[in-house]
Amino acid sequence: MVAWKVQAITDEVADVARDNAPGTKTWRTRGDEEVRPEHRKAHGQEVPENLRFVVDSPDYDQAHYGAPPKQQLRHPRDRDATPGLTENCRCQAIEDPAGLSRGIEAHPVEIRGATVVGHVTSVGPRVSDAEFGTAEDDAARYMGRAVQEVAARHRAR
């Protein structure tokens, strides 16, 4: 008797999580012979919009600017990156507002004796980093907020 109610709440959590989920952005190069190797390697990298792209540092930038082996860029031509990654860059970040929301799914509830369990999953690029943040980037907390919001609604009834 309770399973249908738990399923409805599980579905509601998934809907709210989809509403709160960040979009994604994908690194795109021009795809010609002028694209630097580091950008060619980054081509197609998809990350949640609240996170940074991770791009290899050019050897020159590591030797002369003290750059780490990898740099984190909010977007192509990010002024916080070293010149070897930003000067004359022609790359783009293609945004997808529905990005992570497509990978959020409510699963059928499971009945385990007297317990009914609902599951909502989020599948996509770097979803854990998007949810909890990194040393460089803020957390989106889209799954956690969904659970809190739905729980608050049901407590208020």
Side-chain angles (χ1 to χ4, degrees):
M1 285 199 299
V2 174
W4 69 270
K5 182 67 173 169
V6 173
Q7 186 66 60
I9 291 170
T10 301
D11 293 341
E12 188 178 351
V13 168
D15 289 340
V16 173
R18 284 185 204 101
D19 291 343
N20 291 335
T24 56
K25 55 190 176 185
T26 303
W27 188 286
R28 292 281 183 236
T29 69
R30 294 248 180 120
D32 59 21
E33 66 282 344
E34 294 179 34
V35 175
R36 63 194 87 190
E38 296 82 12
H39 290 192
R40 185 171 286 114
K41 188 173 176 186
H43 180 80
Q45 184 182 148
E46 182 182 20
V47 298
E49 67 187 9
N50 65 311
L51 301 181
R52 297 167 197 243
F53 293 105
V54 178
V55 182
D56 290 342
S57 293
D59 292 339
Y60 184 90
D61 289 4
Q62 291 181 58
H64 293 86
Y65 295 104
K70 296 187 181 295
Q71 295 184 54
Q72 296 188 24
L73 285 71
R74 288 182 289 275
H75 50 78
R77 296 175 301 286
D78 184 340
R79 293 190 180 259
D80 289 338
T82 55
L85 286 178
T86 59
E87 294 295 318
N88 301 315
C89 174
R90 301 170 300 136
C91 298
Q92 298 179 334
I94 307 300
E95 297 179 5
D96 178 3
L100 291 187
S101 65
R102 284 191 203 91
I104 297 173
E105 182 180 351
H107 300 277
V109 295
E110 297 176 18
I111 300 171
R112 300 177 187 162
T115 304
V116 181
V117 179
H119 294 280
V120 177
T121 57
S122 178
V123 177
R126 296 180 61 193
V127 293
S128 291
D129 288 343
E131 175 71 7
F132 300 110
T134 67
E136 299 287 328
D137 300 304
D138 292 334
R141 301 265 188 230
Y142 61 102
M143 295 291 280
R145 285 186 322 174
V147 171
Q148 290 175 337
E149 186 178 318
V150 171
R153 280 187 211 157
H154 288 271
R155 277 194 298 268
R157 292 181 181 170

